[in-house]
């Protein structure tokens, strides 16, 4: 896939995030949740405000149209 989306805050770190990082796929995830304890928004994943669909759509669109951003997120995710 081109991008992995975690649409809601996870109680745990989330298998989806681990899989995205391990296969080199950019991740879009909300600011809140346990992911923020180990990953830096904008470095390891593209964040969005988990309370609005518009914020998710904007972050997803940014990753899909900006190849430099997507590559930076893949590099960052591979370091975790």
């Amino acid at each position: 896939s081109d991008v992995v989306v975690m649409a809601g805050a996870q109680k745990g770190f989330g298998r989806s995030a681990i899989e995205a990082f391990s296969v080199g796929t950019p991740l879009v995830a909300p600011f809140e949740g346990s992911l923020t304890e180990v990953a830096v928004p904008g470095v390891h994943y593209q964040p969005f405000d988990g309370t609005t669909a518009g914020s998710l759509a904007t972050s997803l669109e940014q990753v899909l149209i900006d190849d430099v951003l997507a590559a930076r997120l893949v590099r960052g995710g591979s370091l975790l």
Side-chain angles (χ1 to χ4, degrees):
S1 65
D2 294 330
V3 64
V4 172
V5 176
M6 292 176 57
Q10 302 288 318
K11 290 184 180 180
F13 180 72
R15 182 174 288 166
S16 302
I18 295 169
E19 290 175 357
F21 296 146
S22 70
V23 298
T25 302
L27 176 67
V28 174
F31 279 114
E32 58 275 337
S34 60
L35 181 61
T36 59
E37 295 175 16
V38 296
V40 178
V43 175
H44 302 111
Y45 70 99
Q46 182 66 13
F48 70 94
D49 174 2
T51 62
T52 67
S55 178
L56 169 57
T58 298
S59 290
L60 181 57
E61 180 179 38
Q62 289 170 339
V63 173
L64 290 173
I65 65 172
D66 187 339
D67 293 337
V68 173
L69 171 61
R72 184 179 75 227
L73 297 173
V74 168
R75 276 192 309 277
S78 72
L79 299 174
L80 291 177

